[in-house]
Amino acid sequence: MSRVTNFSAGPAVLPLEVLEQARAEIPDWQGSGMSVMEVSHRSKAFIAIAETAEADVRELMGISDNYAVMFLQGGATMQFALLPMNLSQPGDTVDCLLTGTWSKKAFKEAQVVRNARIVADGADSAYTDVPARESWQLESGAAYFHYTPNETIGGVEIHAPPDVGDVPVVADMSSTIMSRPVDVDKFAVIYAGAQKNIGPAGLTLVIMRRDLLERAPADLPNIMRYKSHADGGSMLNTPPTFGWYLSGLVFKWLKEQGGLTAVGERNQRKAKLLYDAIDTSSFYANPVTESCRSWMNVPFTLAKPELDGEFLKLAEQEGLMNLKGHRSVGGMRASIYNAMPEEGIQALVDFMAEFERTNT
Ligand SMILES: *Cc1c(COP(=O)(O)O)cnc(C)c1O
């Protein structure tokens, strides 16, 4: 077996220990004579998996009983639509902070449903910086405030939850969830597609303050209603059972790593190693303002963009995969989620130094 070092932005690297456990359990899961993919989601055994996964999410993130934890489908993108449909009424305003590609997409979808407003827009800095808090135009009566703590494409991260007064804060944490401890009580909703920092694609985690479950207009169909999902244990219809199971293994793995404090310290070290390598070189550059650089997605450019193809080709020969930047940005991007080991970053940094040496 040969595993590569996978810097994909998502679906992304998973812990090898988790993959090996899943492989071992596939033909005959817990003595059932079936794989976990072949059992009923209503079976006792699967319900135990589902409940344990929820308990582990609560323990890892320190989530109180004031919040519902839902395991849904449709990705983060589906929540872009469901959030305004559930958390606001016709005529309400939804406040959106724009810091890059994903927050803009969430804003556009909210606009389809409600009166979505732009609180501030990072366009002036080409989304390499977060607009200063003093410049935000908040609406005191907004149904909620939406932002994207980590912009997966631009590599811009807002490291502390923003203070927006009494307005509920809704955060798309798709690419930063569980990368460090967060104070969940500062949020009304945290949501994330699983395929970056949690597990396989197809599962979406939604953590919602319970009082907000009551807000949905009466004419909203059941399947689009968070309260129905929460009341039904996220089993209103057949859930993505394999994704739920595998994510559960990742939660166990995170606990074995020492929980989110230890994981966060490691992630900070990993990011520093890569940013230091970029900053001390005159060949590589990262455009993002230092205070809002992402710990999870690190875009960087080469001083000679005509060498991008060569860089990627030689990197692949070293087993350093999926470093091509997003088509909208160009250059390179290294996504260094929880499951990326420190040795993976070291291998990348070593490769970058060697490439610079032979090309300058
Ligand atoms: C990947 C990503 C999304 C889209 O997720 P889907 O699960 O594909 O809908 C949304 N927001 C952020 C921040 C992302 O990184």
Side-chain angles (χ1 to χ4, degrees), residues 290-308:
E290 208 173 324
S291 59
C292 50
R293 281 174 160 182
S294 170
W295 292 8
M296 295 282 106
N297 310 94
V298 183
F300 60 94
T301 53
L302 276 52
K304 300 177 185 163
E306 64 276 16
L307 292 179
D308 282 4

Side-chain angles (χ1 to χ4, degrees), residues 74-78 80 102 148 150-152 172 174-175 193 195-196:
T77 307
M78 176 69 100
F80 293 171
W102 288 114
T148 306
N150 187 66
E151 288 283 359
T152 319
D172 173 4
S174 291
S175 50
Q195 69 273 22
K196 278 127 191 179

Side-chain angles (χ1 to χ4, degrees), residues 49-63:
I49 284 203
E51 287 177 349
T52 305
E54 176 177 335
D56 285 342
V57 171
R58 286 184 182 279
E59 184 185 328
L60 279 163
M61 294 182 69
I63 303 170

